[in-house]
């Protein structure tokens, strides 16, 4: 426990929130969907996605248990974002160290 860095704790908290607490999120439509439903143009956006989502509607496809699918989607999404930001941080840190050596 003493060798843990601040980001280890942050990642653990983020995974707990993504995998556990997110299950209690509202299933009601978000603000944009609500407006589209209220003004009868929700069907205009169906089938015209800008890009394909690997986890549409915040659930992992192919898993019949909706609770497990939502929890896994949260965990995988959090780990993907962590990897992206960690990698970006490494690249930026490397480039700033390289520029200070000049």
């Amino acid at each position: 426990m003493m060798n843990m860095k601040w980001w280890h704790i942050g990642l653990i908290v983020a995974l707990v929130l993504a995998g556990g607490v997110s299950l209690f999120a509202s299933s009601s439509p978000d603000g944009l969907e609500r407006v589209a439903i209220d003004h009868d143009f929700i069907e205009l956006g169906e089938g015209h996605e800008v890009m394909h989502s690997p986890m549409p509607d915040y659930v992992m496809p192919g898993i019949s248990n909706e609770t497990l699918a939502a929890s896994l989607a949260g965990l995988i999404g959090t780990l993907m974002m962590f990897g992206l930001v960690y990698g970006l941080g490494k690249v930026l840190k490397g480039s700033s160290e390289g520029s200070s050596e000049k």
Side-chain angles (χ1 to χ4, degrees):
M1 186 75 177
M2 297 300 286
N3 292 332
M4 291 184 78
K5 295 181 179 178
W6 64 268
W7 63 267
H8 291 140
I9 296 169
L11 179 60
I12 291 169
V13 169
L15 289 171
V16 168
L17 291 173
V21 177
S22 65
L23 297 174
F24 301 101
S26 172
S27 61
S28 299
D30 62 22
L32 186 58
E33 281 183 310
R34 183 79 259 161
V35 170
I37 291 169
D38 289 347
H39 294 281
D40 295 327
F41 65 88
I42 188 75
E43 70 280 348
L44 295 176
E46 300 292 326
H48 300 288
E49 291 85 11
V50 174
M51 60 187 304
H52 175 72
S53 172
M55 293 179 271
D57 293 328
Y58 308 106
V59 293
M60 192 70 186
I63 298 176
S64 59
N65 184 324
E66 191 170 321
T67 302
L68 179 62
S71 184
L72 280 175
L75 291 172
I76 291 170
T78 299
L79 288 173
M80 289 173 62
M81 287 307 301
F82 173 77
L84 180 71
V85 171
Y86 186 80
L88 182 63
K90 285 286 191 184
V91 169
L92 293 175
K93 183 178 178 184
S95 67
S96 69
E97 287 177 355
S99 64
S100 65
E101 293 176 2
K102 292 181 182 176

